């Protein structure tokens, strides 16, 4: 067994195999040195704070590849200014290595306008501010959607949700101020349904029920009746019902009279008009009601014995009348006072009563 292993043929094959392996390894390393430019390193030039055009020209001259990547816009730096280089300036790289340049963009990155149409203006303003849009003028427009955001304007033109604008762009908004009052209703009798829709929309009303006589939906049918009537006043956004037919309004006079009996109020003009007179009355002021005082409790007083004082009697002398022969005249019913009649004396003041307390 050992003799067979040390046979010269076996040893020859082993030496050949080792030589082939060593040769393959050497050729592999040589190929890698050639392919990777081993020993040929180039320092990365410092192109920070240069414009992207100058940086690209310098990298082309040194044999390095480049890749431009835009960073977030920073207003402190110039547009297209190189802010950062990777690998760092001064590091040695192989010939043909790609160098990444971080460049300040020309302006803010564009953002999409959020869908805030017909939303409450307070929430819409908050959403627009969150995405980075600045609100300029607020324009109020009559609309039944009070305090709702109706349109967004950018440089005077209306823009739709999803349109991309630069960050921190100034936009104007149109907000509804509520419906207009007492607008005259237009006359659309004689127009086609299509034309009536345009006229009603321009007058800030809406089309309500559209009843076709034949039951179809032809927009070329002629309007022969409308409710409310033309000339009435309504608020903005009210609906106008239409009746349409392929016939003219003159041919449908009976139908019009029938609809008038349903939708038009008849006013009795035989009654005299009611007169209203203005009555000017002065304002009356009522005295405040004062509650009656609470009854006071009477405390019994001690009885005091009274002493009687003699009353002075005054006698008034009656005037005497004398008639001749001691007899009264037949025609005299009243006696005349004589000069000797006494005059009435003034009443004397009562004397104070004496109270004896035992």
């Amino acid at each position: 067994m050992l003799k067979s292993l040390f046979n010269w043929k076996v040893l020859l094959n082993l030496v050949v195999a080792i030589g082939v392996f060593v040769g393959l390894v050497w050729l592999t390393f040589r190929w890698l040195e050639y392919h990777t430019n081993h020993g040929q390193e180039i320092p990365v030039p410092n192109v920070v704070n240069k414009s992207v055009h100058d940086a690209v020209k310098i990298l082309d001259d040194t044999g390095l590849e480049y890749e431009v990547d835009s960073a977030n816009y920073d207003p402190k730096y110039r547009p297209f200014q190189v802010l950062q280089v990777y690998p760092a300036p001064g590091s040695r790289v192989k010939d043909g290595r790609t160098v990444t340049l971080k460049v300040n963009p020309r302006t803010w990155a564009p953002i999409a306008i959020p869908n805030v149409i017909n939303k409450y203006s307070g929430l819409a303003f908050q959403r627009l501010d969150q995405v980075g849009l600045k609100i300029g003028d607020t324009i109020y427009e009559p609309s039944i959607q009070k305090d709702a955001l109706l349109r967004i304007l950018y440089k005077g033109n209306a823009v739709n949700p999803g349109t991309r604008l630069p960050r921190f762009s100034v936009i104007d908004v149109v907000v509804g101020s509520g419906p207009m009052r007492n607008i005259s209703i237009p006359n659309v009798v004689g127009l086609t349904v299509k034309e009536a829709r345009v006229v009603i929309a321009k007058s800030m009303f809406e089309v309500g029920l559209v009843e076709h006589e034949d039951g179809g939906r032809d927009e070329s049918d002629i309007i022969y009746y409308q409710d409310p009537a033309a000339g009435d006043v309504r608020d903005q956004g009210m609906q106008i019902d239409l009746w349409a037919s392929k016939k003219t309004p003159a041919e449908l006079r009976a139908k019009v009279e029938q609809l008038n009996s349903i939708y038009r109020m008849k006013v009795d003009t035989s009654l005299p008009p009611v007169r209203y007179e203005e009555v000017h009355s002065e304002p009356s002021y009522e005295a405040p009601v004062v509650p009656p005082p609470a009854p006071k409790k009477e405390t019994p007083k001690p009885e005091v014995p009274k002493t009687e004082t003699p009353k002075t009697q005054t006698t008034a002398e009656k005037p005497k009348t004398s008639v001749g022969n001691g007899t009264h005249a037949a025609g005299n019913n009243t006696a005349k006072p004589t000069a000797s009649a006494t005059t009435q004396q003034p009443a004397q003041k009562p004397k104070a009563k004496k109270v004896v307390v035992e």
Side-chain angles (χ1 to χ4, degrees):
M1 184 70 179
L2 293 175
K3 187 182 288 187
S4 62
L5 289 175
F6 289 101
N7 191 0
W8 65 274
K9 292 181 178 181
V10 176
L11 294 175
L12 181 61
N13 292 333
L14 184 60
V15 171
V16 172
I18 293 173
V20 171
F21 175 75
V22 173
L24 289 175
V25 171
W26 182 80
L27 289 175
T28 302
F29 278 101
R30 292 293 297 176
W31 178 81
L32 288 174
E33 289 179 2
Y34 174 78
H35 183 71
T36 59
N37 296 326
H38 182 66
Q40 299 178 4
E41 294 181 346
I42 303 173
V44 177
N46 187 6
V47 293
V48 177
N49 296 330
K50 295 183 179 296
S51 66
V52 66
H53 303 287
D54 296 340
V56 167
K57 185 177 180 181
I58 294 172
L59 293 176
D60 285 337
D61 294 340
T62 55
L64 296 174
E65 300 294 333
Y66 58 87
E67 179 182 10
V68 178
D69 185 13
S70 61
N72 293 329
Y73 177 72
D74 192 343
K76 296 186 297 183
Y77 300 98
R78 302 188 309 273
F80 304 117
Q81 181 180 351
V82 178
L83 305 179
Q84 188 178 1
V85 179
Y86 181 80
S91 58
R92 304 183 68 84
V93 296
K94 301 289 186 180
D95 186 14
R97 171 71 182 272
T98 301
V99 177
T100 304
L101 304 177
K102 292 284 186 179
V103 180
N104 189 36
R106 181 176 58 184
T107 183
W108 296 101
I111 56 176
I113 298 176
N115 187 8
V116 292
I117 302 298
N118 298 329
K119 298 292 193 306
Y120 175 63
S121 58
L123 298 177
F125 292 170
Q126 184 179 4
R127 179 62 180 144
L128 293 171
D129 184 68
Q130 287 176 352
V131 299
L133 294 175
K134 299 298 182 182
I135 298 175
D137 296 334
T138 301
I139 304 169
Y140 290 93
E141 181 179 284
S143 173
I144 58 175
Q145 295 177 303
K146 183 175 175 60
D147 295 331
L149 194 146
L150 304 179
R151 292 189 304 278
I152 298 176
L153 305 177
Y154 179 66
K155 294 182 178 180
N157 299 320
V159 290
N160 298 322
T163 304
R164 302 185 69 84
L165 298 177
R167 190 179 178 87
F168 300 117
S169 297
V170 178
I171 59 175
D172 301 330
V173 293
V174 180
V175 179
S177 61
M180 293 183 65
R181 305 292 182 182
N182 300 329
I183 305 176
S184 180
I185 294 178
N187 185 11
V188 295
V189 175
L191 303 178
T192 63
V193 176
K194 185 177 181 180
E195 294 171 346
R197 292 183 186 275
V198 177
V199 173
I200 291 173
K202 287 183 178 179
S203 301
M204 294 182 289
F205 292 105
E206 294 183 2
V207 178
L209 172 68
V210 180
E211 183 176 341
H212 295 264
E213 187 186 17
D214 56 0
R217 295 184 178 179
D218 191 0
E219 293 289 312
S220 62
D221 288 354
I222 299 174
I223 304 296
Y224 66 90
Y225 194 80
Q226 70 178 73
D227 182 62
D232 290 353
V233 290
R234 294 290 187 275
D235 294 342
Q236 178 185 357
M238 295 293 293
Q239 292 185 346
I240 302 177
D241 298 334
L242 305 174
W243 283 259
S245 174
K246 297 188 181 300
K247 301 178 182 179
T248 62
E251 296 173 347
L252 297 171
R253 188 176 299 277
K255 184 70 174 177
V256 172
E257 293 297 332
Q258 181 182 359
L259 293 173
N260 279 333
S261 63
I262 299 174
Y263 295 100
R264 300 288 185 266
M265 266 178 89
K266 293 183 179 180
V267 181
D268 190 0
T269 58
S270 62
L271 297 176
V274 179
R275 282 187 168 183
Y276 298 94
E277 296 182 357
E278 296 183 358
V279 178
H280 300 280
S281 60
E282 296 182 356
S284 59
Y285 300 95
E286 296 182 357
V289 179
V290 180
K296 297 181 179 180
K297 294 182 180 181
E298 296 182 356
T299 56
K301 296 181 179 180
E303 295 182 356
V304 179
K306 299 180 180 180
T307 58
E308 296 182 357
T309 57
K311 298 181 179 179
T312 58
Q313 296 181 356
T314 57
T315 58
E317 296 179 355
K318 295 182 180 179
K320 296 180 181 180
T321 58
S322 61
V323 184
N325 300 325
T327 57
H328 293 282
N332 294 336
N333 294 329
T334 59
K336 296 180 181 180
T338 60
S340 62
T342 59
T343 59
Q344 187 177 358
Q345 297 178 357
Q348 296 179 357
K349 294 184 179 179
K351 296 181 180 180
K353 298 179 180 180
K354 296 181 181 181
V355 180
V356 179
V357 179
E358 295 180 357

